[in-house]
Amino acid sequence: MNPSSSVDRLQALRAAMAVRNIDACIILTSDPHLSEYLPDHWQGRKWLSGFGGSAGTLVVSADFAGLWTDSRYWEQADASLDGTGIQVMRSGAPDVAEPIAWLAEQLPRGACVSVDGQVLALRSQQQWQRDLTAHGIKLSCDADVLDDIWTDRPQLPHEPVYEHLPPFACRSRAENLAAVRGQMKEYGASWHLVSTLDDIAWVLNLRGNDVPHNPVFLAHLLIGMDTVRLFVAPDKIDSVLAERLALDGVRIESYDGVAGALAALPEKATLLIDPARVTFGTVAAAAYVGKTEGVNPSHLFKSQKNAAEADHVRTTMEQDGAALCEFFAWFESALGTERITEITVDEKITAARSRRPHFVTTSFGTIAAFNANGAMPHYSATPESHAVIEGDGLLLIDSGGQYLGGTTDITRVVPVGQPSAEQRHDYTAVLKGMIALSCAVFPKGTPSSVLDTLARTPIWQTGADYGHGTGHGVGYFLNVHEGPQSISYRARPSPHLAMLPGMITSNEPGLYRPGKWGIRIENLVIAVPALQTEFGEFLKFETLTLCPIDIRCIEIQLLSPSERAWLNAYHQEVRLRLAPLLQGEALDWLQRRTEPV
């Protein structure tokens, strides 16, 4: 976006704020469902600033504009916001206060801070209200100021909803509803409001295409003990699907009808809400109903894949790995003879996946980042700004697919030309960290956050670190990022971080040298039983992802005998399971890249 467009839009926003007597306006990267990937209608932060990263909070006052974003996006934000007058606030840096703390310091008593309550998590509203009130500052959540100035705001998406069916759907809708209702009884709740789109899709075995990369659809869900009310645009569900839903007691109502339904609940009813997964504006309609707070039951249920789902994921990983072998075989043969850019990598790798059975779409925007671009963990090449793959260096490729039988996410780094000794040293440290976490054995219920240091230790020992977490949960033909597990020492301690059997998690340590290169090696792993002793039940990780790890970047002498053994065993498994799906150049490539070290 031209920086002047952002300047003009900020000026218009400040004029609207003055009319409403607002001293500071917070523009979140959020929607009424607290989604990671947003429909265009709620891309207000991007529309105002021009910054397209998936995370960021914009704060605007009469004489200041600042974008808070984490270390994954610092370099990208610096480039995107140049000339806009918006200051990059490096969230997580020791000298940078978070937005609410910063506002509390900067604004005078009696000031008014505005945020759209429809896209603000209830838990955040509760905390913000306490913090700002303590400083005599008012928090207003009743207006979306963007509506005053965004005259051509995009409409809501209207893609059709479809059913996730057997054999890939391994739990029935009735079973899912029964499990949720069982937990509602534990909470003493007669109703349960669900607004997070992946939870709704999981409970009802439905999928959609309203959000990029995640197969979900815009809706709210109100579950009672005898009835279910699905608030969704009616034309998104055809008559056949509506009849099938009705068999399980699911009634279709208009998307914007959720507020009226909440307001009409009996006063004696008790509504279960998850304050981290419902917005203040949505739940405000249930003002006269008793409420109990707890984690959405579906949030934990869907994180623990059952045996049938895990088997489908294993098969999906074979197909995904075969697609990657085809891509890398093409890449190595074309390198130096064809013009290859970061955009080309994205196109070719997606095309390879699309030829595989049951592929639906990508699970996130492919990150193809050469040399210095790889130092930005969430870099995104664009037609206007991308690198040509030539010369010497490292190419980082982070990509994934949505299949009917599972969701994939993999990162590999490959050499272009001759990697330097320093690059090989960094690569080996990252590989050692990834292997260390792959080999973990730990008590069932161990907080996932404490496993983080296993992957970081080999990198810390070199005097380096990385700013992102080591692992995130992954859905089953659902969101590529899901909770509750999070392998990150920065994760807020919580009993819901427990690592349990069936949880699929990424294993992705990294090392990034700004202006030079970035390295990340990522596999998906699933927690499975390891052993039972007098000390209890222990779990381990089974590696799901199947694709060679490029040994040309490794300093072999830095690997211990056990690390070499792990790498050789992994490559033997990759060859065994992928070879039957390949032929020709792709099969030859697989055999070359899985030779023992």
Side-chain angles (χ1 to χ4, degrees), residues 189-511:
S190 49
W191 293 91
H192 175 37
L193 173 65
V194 186
S195 290
T196 37
L197 304 183
D198 56 329
D199 285 304
I200 295 170
W202 181 87
V203 170
L204 298 181
N205 278 354
L206 299 178
R207 299 295 189 268
N209 193 33
D210 283 351
V211 175
H213 310 300
N214 293 339
V216 296
F217 55 96
L218 299 182
H220 297 276
L221 189 65
L222 191 57
I223 303 174
M225 286 301 176
D226 301 307
T227 186
V228 181
R229 303 168 72 175
L230 176 62
F231 300 91
V232 61
D235 58 350
K236 296 167 70 71
I237 294 182
D238 64 31
S239 58
V240 174
L241 180 53
E243 290 177 4
R244 289 179 57 83
L245 290 168
L247 294 175
D248 289 308
V250 180
R251 190 170 73 202
I252 309 300
E253 302 186 34
S254 66
Y255 174 70
D256 57 5
V258 63
L262 291 171
L265 288 176
E267 290 189 21
K268 293 184 179 180
T270 300
L271 179 67
L272 171 61
I273 55 173
D274 184 339
R277 294 172 184 84
V278 68
T279 70
F280 169 77
T282 300
V283 79
Y288 303 106
V289 178
K291 301 177 188 69
T292 185
E293 295 186 358
V295 174
N296 282 349
S298 52
H299 188 59
L300 182 59
F301 290 145
K302 68 181 171 58
S303 72
Q304 296 180 260
K305 282 60 178 175
N306 62 29
E309 290 167 337
D311 282 342
H312 282 302
V313 171
R314 293 182 182 101
T315 301
T316 293
M317 290 294 179
E318 293 172 352
Q319 295 294 339
D320 199 63
L324 290 164
C325 290
E326 291 178 351
F327 163 77
F328 281 118
W330 165 83
F331 177 78
E332 289 189 16
S333 65
L335 193 62
T337 63
E338 300 180 29
R339 186 178 187 273
I340 303 175
T341 72
E342 294 166 336
I343 299 291
T344 314
V345 170
D346 182 9
E347 293 170 346
K348 291 289 187 178
I349 207 165
T350 301
R353 282 193 168 100
S354 68
R355 294 190 290 268
R356 289 287 152 179
H358 312 304
F359 175 79
V360 178
T361 186
T362 54
S363 57
F364 55 95
T366 299
I367 300 170
F370 186 51
N371 280 345
N373 291 338
M376 296 178 277
H378 277 209
Y379 166 79
S380 178
T382 66
E384 298 78 23
S385 177
H386 60 266
V388 177
I389 314 302
E390 59 186 3
D392 293 328
L394 298 178
L395 173 62
L396 183 153
I397 305 173
D398 189 350
S399 67
Q402 293 283 7
Y403 298 79
L404 294 178
T407 301
T408 71
D409 182 2
I410 174 175
T411 307
R412 291 293 184 263
V413 174
V414 297
V416 176
Q418 184 64 40
S420 69
E422 188 179 8
Q423 288 170 336
R424 292 196 302 272
H425 187 271
D426 283 353
Y427 184 97
T428 307
V430 173
L431 176 60
K432 290 168 73 72
M434 196 272 287
I435 292 174
L437 184 56
S438 301
C439 297
V441 177
F442 49 92
K444 176 183 175 181
T446 294
S448 52
S449 57
V450 307
L451 301 174
D452 190 44
T453 58
L454 294 174
R456 288 185 193 269
T457 296
I459 298 168
W460 283 345
Q461 287 172 340
T462 71
D465 198 5
Y466 51 97
H468 57 76
T470 299
H472 57 81
V474 178
Y476 177 70
F477 185 37
L478 270 175
N479 292 4
V480 72
H481 299 133
E482 76 167 23
Q485 72 272 33
S486 173
I487 301 179
S488 173
Y489 71 87
R490 298 181 180 89
R492 180 181 300 175
S494 164
H496 304 294
L497 290 177
M499 188 63 72
L500 299 172
M503 286 183 166
I504 295 178
T505 305
S506 69
N507 173 2
E508 51 179 314
L511 200 164

Side-chain angles (χ1 to χ4, degrees), residues 127-208:
Q127 183 63 53
W128 292 10
Q129 185 76 60
R130 287 192 293 268
D131 293 349
L132 291 176
T133 299
H135 289 81
I137 298 171
K138 176 186 176 182
L139 178 65
S140 174
C141 300
D142 58 0
D144 179 3
V145 185
L146 286 178
D147 262 346
D148 295 349
I149 62 172
W150 197 355
T151 57
D152 58 347
R153 191 168 190 168
Q155 298 298 308
L156 298 183
H158 275 83
E159 298 296 321
V161 174
Y162 58 95
E163 196 165 12
H164 192 214
L165 294 166
F168 300 108
C170 304
R171 320 183 203 207
S172 72
R173 189 158 39 241
E175 288 172 334
N176 292 344
L177 287 167
V180 171
R181 284 170 171 147
Q183 287 298 298
M184 289 168 58
K185 288 180 181 178
E186 294 288 326
Y187 281 105
S190 49
W191 293 91
H192 175 37
L193 173 65
V194 186
S195 290
T196 37
L197 304 183
D198 56 329
D199 285 304
I200 295 170
W202 181 87
V203 170
L204 298 181
N205 278 354
L206 299 178
R207 299 295 189 268

Side-chain angles (χ1 to χ4, degrees), residues 47-126:
W47 178 80
L48 270 172
S49 68
F51 170 67
S54 65
T57 298
L58 181 64
V59 175
V60 180
S61 66
D63 55 6
F64 171 83
L67 177 83
W68 275 256
T69 193
D70 62 58
S71 61
R72 297 171 298 168
Y73 293 110
W74 288 349
E75 289 189 54
Q76 181 181 341
D78 284 336
S80 297
L81 301 179
D82 186 36
T84 64
I86 301 172
Q87 182 176 340
V88 178
M89 306 294 286
R90 300 195 167 206
S91 183
D95 58 341
V96 177
E98 289 305 296
I100 295 303
W102 187 89
L103 287 168
E105 294 173 359
Q106 298 295 321
L107 296 179
R109 298 183 70 85
C112 176
V113 174
S114 175
V115 62
D116 180 9
Q118 294 295 329
V119 302
L120 175 64
L122 176 60
R123 175 172 290 167
S124 297
Q125 187 274 338
Q126 293 168 339

